[in-house]
Amino acid sequence: MEGGARERLLGDEEEVEEGLGRRLWKENKKLWVVAGPSIFTRFSTFGVTVISQAFVGHIGSSELAAYAVVSTVLMRFANGILLGMASALETLCGQSYGAKQYHMLGIYLQRSWIVLCSCAFLLTPVFIFTTPLLKLIGQEESIAEMAGTVAHWFIPVFFSFVWGFTLQMYLQAQSKNVIITYLAVATLTLHIFLAWFMVTKLNLGLAGVMGSMILAMWIPVLGQLAFVFFGGCPETWTGFSFSAFLDLWAIVKLSLSSGVMLCLELWYNTILVLLTGYMKNAEVAIDALSICLNINGWEMMISVGFLSAAGVRVANELGAGSAKAAKFAIVNVVITSFVIGFVLFLFFLIFRGRLAYIFTDDAEVAGAVADLSPLLAFSILLNSVQPVISGVAIGAGWQGMVAFVNIGCYYLIGLPLGVVLGYAFDMHVKGIWIGMLIGTCIQTIVLIYITWRTDWDQQVLIAKDRLSKWYMDKSRKSNDARGSA
Protein backbone atom coordinates (compact mmCIF):
# COMPACT_ATOMS: atom_id res chain seq x y z
CA MET A 1 0.00 0.00 0.00
CA GLU A 2 2.79 2.44 0.96
CA GLY A 3 4.70 1.57 -2.21
CA GLY A 4 1.62 2.30 -4.35
CA ALA A 5 1.04 5.62 -2.59
CA ARG A 6 4.68 6.56 -3.12
CA GLU A 7 4.45 5.72 -6.82
CA ARG A 8 1.35 7.93 -7.21
CA LEU A 9 3.08 10.76 -5.33
CA LEU A 10 6.17 10.53 -7.53
CA GLY A 11 3.89 10.44 -10.54
CA ASP A 12 2.21 13.67 -9.44
CA GLU A 13 5.61 15.34 -8.92
CA GLU A 14 6.68 14.33 -12.42
CA GLU A 15 3.48 15.86 -13.83
CA VAL A 16 4.27 19.16 -12.12
CA GLU A 17 7.80 19.14 -13.53
CA GLU A 18 6.62 18.35 -17.07
CA GLY A 19 5.68 21.24 -19.31
CA LEU A 20 2.19 21.68 -20.68
CA GLY A 21 3.27 20.77 -24.20
CA ARG A 22 4.76 17.47 -23.05
CA ARG A 23 1.63 16.61 -21.04
CA LEU A 24 -0.61 17.43 -24.00
CA TRP A 25 1.49 15.24 -26.29
CA LYS A 26 1.30 12.27 -23.91
CA GLU A 27 -2.40 12.72 -23.25
CA ASN A 28 -3.30 13.07 -26.92
CA LYS A 29 -1.39 9.89 -27.74
CA LYS A 30 -3.53 8.04 -25.18
CA LEU A 31 -6.67 9.81 -26.40
CA TRP A 32 -6.25 9.07 -30.11
CA VAL A 33 -5.30 5.43 -29.53
CA VAL A 34 -8.93 5.04 -28.45
CA ALA A 35 -10.66 7.91 -30.29
CA GLY A 36 -9.11 7.32 -33.73
CA PRO A 37 -10.23 3.69 -34.21
CA SER A 38 -13.53 4.44 -32.44
CA ILE A 39 -14.38 7.34 -34.77
CA PHE A 40 -13.33 5.44 -37.87
CA THR A 41 -15.27 2.36 -36.81
CA ARG A 42 -18.41 4.35 -36.08
CA PHE A 43 -18.09 6.13 -39.42
CA SER A 44 -18.01 2.75 -41.12
CA THR A 45 -20.88 1.28 -39.09
CA PHE A 46 -23.03 4.36 -39.48
CA GLY A 47 -22.05 4.43 -43.15
CA VAL A 48 -23.73 1.06 -43.63
CA THR A 49 -27.01 2.57 -42.38
CA VAL A 50 -26.70 5.75 -44.44
CA ILE A 51 -25.68 3.93 -47.62
CA SER A 52 -28.69 1.66 -47.14
CA GLN A 53 -30.88 4.73 -46.82
CA ALA A 54 -29.39 6.21 -49.99
CA PHE A 55 -30.24 3.05 -51.95
CA VAL A 56 -33.72 2.86 -50.40
CA GLY A 57 -34.31 6.53 -51.27
CA HIS A 58 -33.76 5.79 -54.95
CA ILE A 59 -36.23 2.87 -54.79
CA GLY A 60 -39.18 5.07 -53.78
CA SER A 61 -40.44 7.84 -51.47
CA SER A 62 -42.67 5.50 -49.43
CA GLU A 63 -39.77 3.12 -48.86
CA LEU A 64 -37.54 6.03 -47.78
CA ALA A 65 -40.12 7.37 -45.33
CA ALA A 66 -40.67 3.87 -43.87
CA TYR A 67 -36.93 3.24 -43.56
CA ALA A 68 -36.55 6.66 -41.88
CA VAL A 69 -39.25 5.85 -39.33
CA VAL A 70 -37.79 2.42 -38.49
CA SER A 71 -34.12 3.43 -38.41
CA THR A 72 -34.66 6.76 -36.67
CA VAL A 73 -37.53 5.84 -34.35
CA LEU A 74 -37.58 2.09 -33.76
CA MET A 75 -33.85 1.41 -33.93
CA ARG A 76 -33.05 4.47 -31.79
CA PHE A 77 -35.56 3.20 -29.24
CA ALA A 78 -34.13 -0.33 -29.16
CA ASN A 79 -30.48 0.65 -29.57
CA GLY A 80 -30.85 3.30 -26.89
CA ILE A 81 -31.70 0.56 -24.43
CA LEU A 82 -28.92 -1.79 -25.57
CA LEU A 83 -26.22 0.88 -25.89
CA GLY A 84 -27.19 2.41 -22.58
CA MET A 85 -27.10 -0.91 -20.76
CA ALA A 86 -23.81 -1.80 -22.45
CA SER A 87 -22.26 1.46 -21.18
CA ALA A 88 -22.18 -0.12 -17.72
CA LEU A 89 -19.54 -2.43 -19.19
CA GLU A 90 -17.60 0.64 -20.34
CA THR A 91 -17.45 1.94 -16.76
CA LEU A 92 -16.47 -1.39 -15.21
CA CYS A 93 -13.95 -2.50 -17.85
CA GLY A 94 -12.29 0.92 -18.01
CA GLN A 95 -11.86 1.23 -14.25
CA SER A 96 -10.79 -2.42 -13.83
CA TYR A 97 -8.17 -2.08 -16.55
CA GLY A 98 -6.81 1.08 -14.92
CA ALA A 99 -6.63 -0.78 -11.61
CA LYS A 100 -4.87 -3.72 -13.37
CA GLN A 101 -7.65 -6.16 -12.47
CA TYR A 102 -7.30 -7.58 -15.97
CA HIS A 103 -9.05 -10.91 -15.45
CA MET A 104 -12.26 -9.13 -14.39
CA LEU A 105 -12.82 -7.71 -17.89
CA GLY A 106 -13.70 -11.11 -19.33
CA ILE A 107 -16.16 -11.77 -16.49
CA TYR A 108 -17.83 -8.38 -16.96
CA LEU A 109 -18.10 -9.04 -20.72
CA GLN A 110 -19.89 -12.36 -20.15
CA ARG A 111 -22.24 -10.84 -17.59
CA SER A 112 -23.09 -8.08 -20.04
CA TRP A 113 -23.89 -10.64 -22.75
CA ILE A 114 -26.36 -12.36 -20.41
CA VAL A 115 -28.10 -9.10 -19.50
CA LEU A 116 -28.26 -7.66 -23.04
CA CYS A 117 -29.39 -10.91 -24.70
CA SER A 118 -32.28 -11.15 -22.24
CA CYS A 119 -33.19 -7.54 -22.96
CA ALA A 120 -33.03 -8.05 -26.75
CA PHE A 121 -35.49 -10.98 -26.64
CA LEU A 122 -37.92 -8.87 -24.59
CA LEU A 123 -37.75 -6.08 -27.22
CA THR A 124 -38.24 -8.31 -30.27
CA PRO A 125 -42.08 -8.01 -30.30
CA VAL A 126 -41.70 -4.27 -30.99
CA PHE A 127 -40.17 -5.17 -34.37
CA ILE A 128 -42.73 -7.88 -35.08
CA PHE A 129 -45.74 -5.65 -34.42
CA THR A 130 -44.40 -2.38 -35.85
CA THR A 131 -47.31 -1.74 -38.24
CA PRO A 132 -50.13 -1.91 -35.65
CA LEU A 133 -48.03 0.07 -33.14
CA LEU A 134 -47.44 2.91 -35.61
CA LYS A 135 -51.11 2.94 -36.61
CA LEU A 136 -52.05 3.07 -32.93
CA ILE A 137 -50.07 6.30 -32.44
CA GLY A 138 -51.54 7.85 -35.59
CA GLN A 139 -48.91 7.42 -38.30
CA GLU A 140 -50.10 7.49 -41.93
CA GLU A 141 -51.32 4.05 -42.99
CA SER A 142 -49.06 3.74 -46.08
CA ILE A 143 -45.94 4.59 -44.04
CA ALA A 144 -46.97 2.24 -41.21
CA GLU A 145 -47.51 -0.70 -43.59
CA MET A 146 -44.16 -0.29 -45.31
CA ALA A 147 -42.41 0.30 -41.97
CA GLY A 148 -43.66 -3.09 -40.76
CA THR A 149 -41.89 -4.82 -43.65
CA VAL A 150 -38.68 -2.86 -43.05
CA ALA A 151 -38.80 -3.61 -39.31
CA HIS A 152 -38.81 -7.37 -39.88
CA TRP A 153 -35.57 -7.03 -41.83
CA PHE A 154 -34.06 -5.06 -38.95
CA ILE A 155 -34.47 -7.87 -36.37
CA PRO A 156 -31.15 -9.64 -37.17
CA VAL A 157 -29.47 -6.21 -37.42
CA PHE A 158 -30.76 -5.39 -33.94
CA PHE A 159 -29.39 -8.61 -32.44
CA SER A 160 -25.95 -7.93 -33.94
CA PHE A 161 -25.70 -4.86 -31.70
CA VAL A 162 -25.93 -7.00 -28.55
CA TRP A 163 -22.50 -8.42 -29.41
CA GLY A 164 -21.15 -5.41 -31.28
CA PHE A 165 -21.67 -2.87 -28.48
CA THR A 166 -20.26 -5.08 -25.72
CA LEU A 167 -17.22 -6.25 -27.69
CA GLN A 168 -16.35 -2.69 -28.72
CA MET A 169 -16.46 -1.46 -25.11
CA TYR A 170 -14.48 -4.45 -23.88
CA LEU A 171 -11.76 -3.96 -26.51
CA GLN A 172 -11.51 -0.17 -26.33
CA ALA A 173 -11.08 -0.30 -22.52
CA GLN A 174 -7.73 -2.03 -23.26
CA SER A 175 -6.97 0.15 -26.33
CA LYS A 176 -7.31 -2.88 -28.62
CA ASN A 177 -10.06 -1.55 -30.87
CA VAL A 178 -7.95 -1.25 -34.03
CA ILE A 179 -9.14 -4.72 -35.06
CA ILE A 180 -12.72 -3.36 -35.09
CA THR A 181 -11.65 -0.68 -37.57
CA TYR A 182 -10.20 -3.20 -40.02
CA LEU A 183 -13.36 -5.29 -39.90
CA ALA A 184 -15.66 -2.28 -40.24
CA VAL A 185 -13.82 -0.93 -43.30
CA ALA A 186 -13.91 -4.33 -44.98
CA THR A 187 -17.64 -4.78 -44.39
CA LEU A 188 -18.49 -1.21 -45.46
CA THR A 189 -16.74 -1.84 -48.78
CA LEU A 190 -18.54 -5.16 -49.13
CA HIS A 191 -21.91 -3.54 -48.34
CA ILE A 192 -21.49 -0.85 -50.99
CA PHE A 193 -20.77 -3.48 -53.63
CA LEU A 194 -23.48 -5.94 -52.54
CA ALA A 195 -26.19 -3.27 -52.20
CA TRP A 196 -25.34 -1.89 -55.66
CA PHE A 197 -25.26 -5.37 -57.20
CA MET A 198 -28.52 -6.57 -55.59
CA VAL A 199 -30.49 -3.40 -56.36
CA THR A 200 -29.05 -2.38 -59.74
CA LYS A 201 -28.19 -5.72 -61.32
CA LEU A 202 -30.54 -8.21 -59.65
CA ASN A 203 -33.45 -5.74 -59.11
CA LEU A 204 -34.13 -7.12 -55.62
CA GLY A 205 -35.18 -3.70 -54.31
CA LEU A 206 -35.67 -3.40 -50.55
CA ALA A 207 -34.82 -7.08 -49.93
CA GLY A 208 -31.44 -6.62 -51.64
CA VAL A 209 -30.50 -3.57 -49.56
CA MET A 210 -31.56 -5.10 -46.24
CA GLY A 211 -29.97 -8.47 -46.98
CA SER A 212 -26.66 -6.75 -47.66
CA MET A 213 -27.05 -4.71 -44.47
CA ILE A 214 -27.55 -7.82 -42.33
CA LEU A 215 -24.31 -9.32 -43.65
CA ALA A 216 -22.46 -6.05 -43.08
CA MET A 217 -23.55 -5.94 -39.42
CA TRP A 218 -22.74 -9.55 -38.54
CA ILE A 219 -19.34 -9.99 -40.22
CA PRO A 220 -17.56 -7.56 -37.79
CA VAL A 221 -19.18 -9.29 -34.81
CA LEU A 222 -17.92 -12.70 -35.89
CA GLY A 223 -14.46 -11.25 -36.56
CA GLN A 224 -14.29 -9.62 -33.11
CA LEU A 225 -15.40 -12.83 -31.41
CA ALA A 226 -12.68 -14.74 -33.26
CA PHE A 227 -10.10 -12.14 -32.19
CA VAL A 228 -11.11 -12.40 -28.52
CA PHE A 229 -11.49 -16.19 -28.39
CA PHE A 230 -8.28 -17.05 -30.24
CA GLY A 231 -5.62 -15.13 -28.35
CA GLY A 232 -6.18 -11.44 -29.09
CA CYS A 233 -6.74 -10.61 -25.40
CA PRO A 234 -4.70 -13.13 -23.38
CA GLU A 235 -4.71 -11.09 -20.15
CA THR A 236 -8.43 -10.33 -20.08
CA TRP A 237 -10.03 -13.39 -21.74
CA THR A 238 -9.25 -16.82 -20.32
CA GLY A 239 -12.46 -18.60 -21.35
CA PHE A 240 -16.06 -18.88 -20.25
CA SER A 241 -16.72 -19.02 -16.53
CA PHE A 242 -19.60 -19.79 -14.17
CA SER A 243 -18.53 -16.62 -12.36
CA ALA A 244 -20.39 -14.67 -15.05
CA PHE A 245 -23.65 -15.75 -13.40
CA LEU A 246 -22.64 -14.33 -10.00
CA ASP A 247 -23.62 -10.80 -8.86
CA LEU A 248 -25.83 -10.38 -11.92
CA TRP A 249 -28.29 -8.17 -10.05
CA ALA A 250 -25.55 -5.62 -9.33
CA ILE A 251 -24.72 -5.53 -13.06
CA VAL A 252 -28.42 -5.28 -13.95
CA LYS A 253 -28.89 -2.25 -11.67
CA LEU A 254 -25.90 -0.40 -13.14
CA SER A 255 -27.00 -1.42 -16.64
CA LEU A 256 -30.51 -0.11 -16.05
CA SER A 257 -29.30 3.28 -14.83
CA SER A 258 -26.93 3.43 -17.81
CA GLY A 259 -29.77 2.46 -20.14
CA VAL A 260 -32.08 5.16 -18.80
CA MET A 261 -29.37 7.80 -19.18
CA LEU A 262 -28.58 7.09 -22.84
CA CYS A 263 -32.14 6.21 -23.82
CA LEU A 264 -33.34 9.63 -22.72
CA GLU A 265 -30.70 11.18 -24.98
CA LEU A 266 -31.21 8.97 -28.04
CA TRP A 267 -35.02 9.04 -27.85
CA TYR A 268 -34.98 12.85 -27.78
CA ASN A 269 -34.38 13.08 -31.56
CA THR A 270 -36.76 10.18 -32.10
CA ILE A 271 -39.59 12.25 -30.65
CA LEU A 272 -38.68 15.00 -33.12
CA VAL A 273 -39.35 12.58 -36.00
CA LEU A 274 -42.59 11.30 -34.44
CA LEU A 275 -43.97 14.83 -33.95
CA THR A 276 -43.07 15.65 -37.55
CA GLY A 277 -45.22 12.73 -38.71
CA TYR A 278 -48.37 14.52 -37.49
CA MET A 279 -47.80 17.62 -39.63
CA LYS A 280 -49.15 18.43 -43.07
CA ASN A 281 -47.22 16.88 -45.97
CA ALA A 282 -45.66 14.50 -43.46
CA GLU A 283 -43.80 12.40 -46.03
CA VAL A 284 -41.73 15.36 -47.29
CA ALA A 285 -41.15 16.61 -43.73
CA ILE A 286 -40.01 13.19 -42.48
CA ASP A 287 -37.76 12.69 -45.53
CA ALA A 288 -36.12 16.12 -45.07
CA LEU A 289 -35.71 15.70 -41.32
CA SER A 290 -34.30 12.19 -41.64
CA ILE A 291 -31.71 13.48 -44.14
CA CYS A 292 -30.73 16.28 -41.73
CA LEU A 293 -30.47 13.83 -38.85
CA ASN A 294 -28.37 11.47 -40.94
CA ILE A 295 -25.97 14.28 -41.86
CA ASN A 296 -25.90 15.24 -38.19
CA GLY A 297 -25.31 11.58 -37.45
CA TRP A 298 -22.09 11.59 -39.49
CA GLU A 299 -20.71 14.35 -37.28
CA MET A 300 -22.09 12.60 -34.22
CA MET A 301 -19.88 9.62 -35.04
CA ILE A 302 -16.88 11.87 -34.34
CA SER A 303 -18.40 13.08 -31.08
CA VAL A 304 -19.44 9.56 -30.04
CA GLY A 305 -15.89 8.44 -30.79
CA PHE A 306 -14.71 11.10 -28.36
CA LEU A 307 -17.46 10.00 -25.94
CA SER A 308 -15.89 6.55 -25.93
CA ALA A 309 -12.40 7.99 -25.57
CA ALA A 310 -13.50 10.26 -22.71
CA GLY A 311 -15.13 7.32 -20.94
CA VAL A 312 -12.04 5.14 -21.32
CA ARG A 313 -9.56 7.85 -20.31
CA VAL A 314 -11.56 8.92 -17.25
CA ALA A 315 -12.29 5.34 -16.18
CA ASN A 316 -8.66 4.25 -16.65
CA GLU A 317 -7.30 7.17 -14.63
CA LEU A 318 -9.86 6.79 -11.83
CA GLY A 319 -9.10 3.07 -11.68
CA ALA A 320 -5.39 3.88 -11.53
CA GLY A 321 -6.03 6.37 -8.70
CA SER A 322 -4.99 9.58 -10.49
CA ALA A 323 -7.54 12.40 -10.07
CA LYS A 324 -5.21 14.96 -11.66
CA ALA A 325 -4.74 12.91 -14.82
CA ALA A 326 -8.51 12.35 -15.07
CA LYS A 327 -9.19 16.11 -14.93
CA PHE A 328 -6.53 16.85 -17.53
CA ALA A 329 -7.94 14.17 -19.83
CA ILE A 330 -11.44 15.71 -19.57
CA VAL A 331 -10.27 19.21 -20.54
CA ASN A 332 -8.20 17.88 -23.43
CA VAL A 333 -10.95 15.75 -24.99
CA VAL A 334 -13.64 18.46 -24.69
CA ILE A 335 -11.46 21.10 -26.37
CA THR A 336 -10.37 18.71 -29.14
CA SER A 337 -13.94 17.69 -29.96
CA PHE A 338 -15.21 21.29 -29.90
CA VAL A 339 -12.57 22.51 -32.35
CA ILE A 340 -13.50 19.77 -34.82
CA GLY A 341 -17.21 20.53 -34.33
CA PHE A 342 -16.69 24.25 -35.01
CA VAL A 343 -14.98 23.52 -38.34
CA LEU A 344 -17.87 21.28 -39.38
CA PHE A 345 -20.37 23.91 -38.20
CA LEU A 346 -18.92 26.37 -40.71
CA PHE A 347 -18.83 23.72 -43.45
CA PHE A 348 -22.53 22.85 -43.18
CA LEU A 349 -23.55 26.51 -43.01
CA ILE A 350 -21.83 27.03 -46.36
CA PHE A 351 -23.12 23.96 -48.24
CA ARG A 352 -26.66 23.95 -46.84
CA GLY A 353 -29.17 21.87 -48.86
CA ARG A 354 -26.85 20.78 -51.65
CA LEU A 355 -25.88 17.72 -49.65
CA ALA A 356 -29.50 16.50 -49.75
CA TYR A 357 -29.13 15.22 -53.32
CA ILE A 358 -26.87 12.45 -52.03
CA PHE A 359 -30.00 10.94 -50.44
CA THR A 360 -32.86 11.93 -52.75
CA ASP A 361 -33.77 13.12 -56.25
CA ASP A 362 -36.83 15.03 -54.97
CA ALA A 363 -36.34 18.81 -55.33
CA GLU A 364 -39.07 19.53 -52.75
CA VAL A 365 -37.29 17.41 -50.13
CA ALA A 366 -33.94 19.05 -50.97
CA GLY A 367 -35.49 22.50 -50.53
CA ALA A 368 -36.87 21.51 -47.14
CA VAL A 369 -33.39 20.30 -46.13
CA ALA A 370 -31.88 23.66 -47.18
CA ASP A 371 -34.42 25.45 -44.98
CA LEU A 372 -33.41 23.32 -41.97
CA SER A 373 -29.64 23.59 -42.59
CA PRO A 374 -28.92 26.46 -40.12
CA LEU A 375 -30.48 24.38 -37.33
CA LEU A 376 -28.45 21.40 -38.51
CA ALA A 377 -25.24 23.44 -38.26
CA PHE A 378 -26.03 24.58 -34.70
CA SER A 379 -26.89 20.99 -33.73
CA ILE A 380 -23.49 19.89 -35.00
CA LEU A 381 -21.74 22.57 -32.94
CA LEU A 382 -23.64 21.68 -29.77
CA ASN A 383 -23.17 17.95 -30.30
CA SER A 384 -19.41 18.38 -30.40
CA VAL A 385 -19.50 18.96 -26.62
CA GLN A 386 -22.61 17.29 -25.18
CA PRO A 387 -21.75 13.63 -25.97
CA VAL A 388 -18.19 14.09 -24.69
CA ILE A 389 -19.47 15.25 -21.30
CA SER A 390 -21.77 12.22 -21.28
CA GLY A 391 -18.65 10.10 -21.88
CA VAL A 392 -17.09 11.63 -18.78
CA ALA A 393 -20.21 10.65 -16.84
CA ILE A 394 -19.95 7.06 -18.09
CA GLY A 395 -16.26 6.86 -17.19
CA ALA A 396 -17.01 8.08 -13.67
CA GLY A 397 -20.16 5.96 -13.24
CA TRP A 398 -22.61 8.88 -12.93
CA GLN A 399 -25.29 7.35 -15.17
CA GLY A 400 -28.06 7.52 -12.57
CA MET A 401 -27.50 11.20 -11.79
CA VAL A 402 -27.28 12.19 -15.46
CA ALA A 403 -30.57 10.39 -16.14
CA PHE A 404 -32.34 12.86 -13.81
CA VAL A 405 -30.60 15.80 -15.51
CA ASN A 406 -31.76 14.49 -18.90
CA ILE A 407 -35.38 14.18 -17.73
CA GLY A 408 -35.43 17.77 -16.51
CA CYS A 409 -33.63 19.43 -19.43
CA TYR A 410 -35.00 17.35 -22.30
CA TYR A 411 -38.52 16.37 -21.31
CA LEU A 412 -39.57 19.14 -18.91
CA ILE A 413 -37.98 22.03 -20.83
CA GLY A 414 -36.89 21.19 -24.38
CA LEU A 415 -39.77 19.00 -25.54
CA PRO A 416 -42.67 21.17 -24.23
CA LEU A 417 -40.96 24.27 -25.61
CA GLY A 418 -40.56 22.57 -29.00
CA VAL A 419 -44.25 21.58 -29.09
CA VAL A 420 -45.31 25.14 -28.27
CA LEU A 421 -43.06 26.67 -30.94
CA GLY A 422 -43.94 24.04 -33.54
CA TYR A 423 -47.72 23.95 -33.11
CA ALA A 424 -48.90 27.01 -31.14
CA PHE A 425 -46.58 29.42 -33.03
CA ASP A 426 -46.98 27.50 -36.30
CA MET A 427 -43.19 27.15 -36.82
CA HIS A 428 -43.62 23.46 -37.77
CA VAL A 429 -40.45 21.33 -37.80
CA LYS A 430 -38.16 24.31 -37.17
CA GLY A 431 -40.05 25.25 -34.01
CA ILE A 432 -39.88 21.71 -32.60
CA TRP A 433 -36.16 21.51 -33.39
CA ILE A 434 -35.39 24.94 -31.85
CA GLY A 435 -37.12 24.02 -28.61
CA MET A 436 -35.32 20.71 -28.38
CA LEU A 437 -31.97 22.36 -29.14
CA ILE A 438 -32.57 24.70 -26.19
CA GLY A 439 -33.12 21.67 -23.97
CA THR A 440 -29.88 20.10 -25.17
CA CYS A 441 -28.00 23.35 -24.56
CA ILE A 442 -29.27 23.58 -20.97
CA GLN A 443 -28.36 19.93 -20.36
CA THR A 444 -24.83 20.53 -21.64
CA ILE A 445 -24.36 23.58 -19.40
CA VAL A 446 -25.59 21.65 -16.36
CA LEU A 447 -23.23 18.72 -17.00
CA ILE A 448 -20.27 21.04 -17.60
CA TYR A 449 -21.01 22.72 -14.25
CA ILE A 450 -21.29 19.37 -12.45
CA THR A 451 -18.00 18.19 -13.99
CA TRP A 452 -16.26 21.44 -13.04
CA ARG A 453 -17.48 21.31 -9.41
CA THR A 454 -16.74 17.60 -8.89
CA ASP A 455 -14.21 16.51 -6.26
CA TRP A 456 -12.18 14.11 -8.41
CA ASP A 457 -10.17 12.81 -5.46
CA GLN A 458 -13.48 11.62 -4.02
CA GLN A 459 -14.32 9.99 -7.38
CA VAL A 460 -11.09 7.98 -7.14
CA LEU A 461 -12.24 6.61 -3.77
CA ILE A 462 -15.69 5.79 -5.19
CA ALA A 463 -14.13 3.91 -8.11
CA LYS A 464 -11.86 1.99 -5.72
CA ASP A 465 -14.85 1.02 -3.58
CA ARG A 466 -16.83 -0.14 -6.65
CA LEU A 467 -13.98 -2.30 -7.92
CA SER A 468 -13.24 -3.86 -4.54
CA LYS A 469 -16.94 -4.72 -4.07
CA TRP A 470 -17.11 -6.70 -7.32
CA TYR A 471 -13.54 -7.97 -7.38
CA MET A 472 -13.10 -11.71 -7.72
CA ASP A 473 -9.81 -13.40 -6.89
CA LYS A 474 -8.01 -14.59 -10.02
CA SER A 475 -7.42 -18.08 -8.67
CA ARG A 476 -11.12 -18.50 -7.98
CA LYS A 477 -11.94 -17.33 -11.48
CA SER A 478 -9.45 -19.77 -12.98
CA ASN A 479 -10.97 -22.67 -11.05
CA ASP A 480 -14.44 -21.68 -12.29
CA ALA A 481 -13.15 -21.51 -15.85
CA ARG A 482 -11.67 -25.00 -15.59
CA GLY A 483 -14.91 -26.28 -14.14
CA SER A 484 -16.89 -24.91 -17.08
CA ALA A 485 -14.46 -26.30 -19.68
Side-chain angles (χ1 to χ4, degrees):
M1 180 67 72
E2 291 180 1
R6 183 182 178 189
E7 286 177 6
R8 287 195 294 273
L9 180 60
L10 290 173
D12 289 342
E13 289 176 355
E14 288 174 3
E15 285 183 0
V16 173
E17 292 175 2
E18 281 183 333
L20 179 61
R22 178 66 177 169
R23 291 181 66 195
L24 281 172
W25 173 253
K26 290 174 65 175
E27 177 56 37
N28 276 295
K29 282 175 64 179
K30 295 177 182 178
L31 170 67
W32 283 101
V33 163
V34 178
S38 181
I39 291 170
F40 204 80
T41 300
R42 292 179 189 279
F43 262 120
S44 300
T45 305
F46 187 70
V48 170
T49 304
V50 174
I51 288 165
S52 299
Q53 177 166 355
F55 277 103
V56 171
H58 291 288
I59 293 171
S61 296
S62 296
E63 286 84 355
L64 178 60
Y67 183 93
V69 169
V70 175
S71 64
T72 310
V73 178
L74 202 63
M75 286 302 290
R76 279 182 184 269
F77 167 78
N79 281 356
I81 295 174
L82 292 185
L83 181 60
M85 295 184 77
S87 75
L89 183 67
E90 194 167 13
T91 304
L92 295 171
C93 283
Q95 293 185 0
S96 293
Y97 194 79
K100 299 184 179 181
Q101 296 179 3
Y102 300 130
H103 63 286
M104 289 300 298
L105 273 73
I107 295 176
Y108 290 140
L109 177 62
Q110 293 169 61
R111 289 174 180 171
S112 191
W113 283 341
I114 295 168
V115 173
L116 264 70
C117 279
S118 303
C119 181
F121 279 110
L122 292 175
L123 289 171
T124 301
V126 177
F127 290 85
I128 296 173
F129 301 106
T130 296
T131 295
L133 287 173
L134 289 177
K135 288 181 179 179
L136 184 65
I137 61 176
Q139 280 290 345
E140 289 186 9
E141 186 169 344
S142 61
I143 295 176
E145 291 289 346
M146 183 60 70
T149 301
V150 174
H152 293 163
W153 283 102
F154 264 103
I155 292 175
V157 174
F158 168 63
F159 270 89
S160 74
F161 290 127
V162 171
W163 309 94
F165 289 154
T166 51
L167 286 165
Q168 286 177 30
M169 292 175 184
Y170 165 77
L171 291 169
Q172 73 189 14
Q174 351 176 19
S175 300
K176 289 189 175 183
N177 51 339
V178 174
I179 181 63
I180 309 173
T181 304
Y182 296 146
L183 292 166
V185 171
T187 52
L188 178 61
T189 306
L190 178 64
H191 179 56
I192 294 172
F193 170 74
L194 281 179
W196 168 81
F197 183 74
M198 290 182 174
V199 173
T200 305
K201 299 299 181 181
L202 299 182
N203 294 316
L204 293 177
L206 182 65
V209 176
M210 297 307 299
S212 177
M213 186 179 185
I214 291 169
L215 285 174
M217 291 301 185
W218 272 100
I219 290 173
V221 171
L222 297 175
Q224 290 166 48
L225 285 171
F227 177 79
V228 172
F229 290 166
F230 297 106
C233 304
E235 289 184 312
T236 60
W237 180 264
T238 55
F240 291 98
S241 171
F242 288 120
S243 301
F245 293 93
L246 303 177
D247 297 322
L248 273 180
W249 179 239
I251 299 294
V252 169
K253 288 193 291 185
L254 182 59
S255 296
L256 287 174
S257 63
S258 302
V260 171
M261 171 193 156
L262 283 186
C263 284
L264 292 172
E265 294 188 15
L266 294 174
W267 294 350
Y268 198 44
N269 285 336
T270 299
I271 292 172
L272 176 57
V273 177
L274 284 173
L275 290 174
T276 303
Y278 294 103
M279 294 183 169
K280 294 179 181 179
N281 201 7
E283 189 170 301
V284 171
I286 289 176
D287 286 351
L289 185 60
S290 67
I291 288 171
C292 286
L293 292 179
N294 270 295
I295 293 172
N296 188 38
W298 282 105
E299 188 277 335
M300 276 290 288
M301 294 305 100
I302 299 175
S303 298
V304 172
F306 282 118
L307 179 154
S308 299
V312 170
R313 291 297 304 122
V314 170
N316 284 171
E317 297 300 345
L318 291 179
S322 179
K324 184 178 293 185
K327 289 187 286 186
F328 189 75
I330 292 168
V331 174
N332 182 65
V333 69
V334 170
I335 292 175
T336 303
S337 182
F338 177 77
V339 169
I340 294 173
F342 184 74
V343 172
L344 293 173
F345 162 77
L346 296 176
F347 175 82
F348 285 105
L349 274 183
I350 294 169
F351 283 94
R352 297 175 68 85
R354 279 172 281 183
L355 295 171
Y357 287 101
I358 298 173
F359 304 94
T360 183
D361 297 322
D362 192 321
E364 187 178 5
V365 173
V369 171
D371 190 47
L372 293 173
S373 288
L375 290 176
L376 171 62
F378 279 105
S379 295
I380 286 170
L381 183 63
L382 188 57
N383 287 338
S384 67
V385 176
Q386 186 272 334
V388 180
I389 301 298
S390 293
V392 173
I394 291 171
W398 298 342
Q399 289 94 326
M401 176 191 67
V402 176
F404 286 106
V405 174
N406 289 348
I407 291 173
C409 296
Y410 289 159
Y411 297 93
L412 300 182
I413 299 175
L415 182 58
L417 185 59
V419 171
V420 170
L421 292 175
Y423 289 92
F425 287 85
D426 205 28
M427 294 176 68
H428 304 291
V429 180
K430 293 173 74 173
I432 299 172
W433 201 343
I434 289 170
M436 298 178 80
L437 274 178
I438 292 172
T440 304
C441 184
I442 294 172
Q443 186 254 18
T444 304
I445 292 170
V446 171
L447 290 186
I448 289 174
Y449 178 77
I450 291 172
T451 304
W452 176 52
R453 296 289 297 173
T454 293
D455 182 346
W456 288 96
D457 290 308
Q458 180 65 26
Q459 293 302 312
V460 167
L461 297 178
I462 292 172
K464 181 180 178 181
D465 181 64
R466 179 186 295 117
L467 294 176
S468 63
K469 186 186 300 181
W470 290 348
Y471 179 76
M472 183 175 297
D473 186 79
K474 190 172 183 179
S475 61
R476 176 185 168 191
K477 192 264 173 189
S478 299
N479 289 334
D480 286 341
R482 284 195 295 270
S484 64

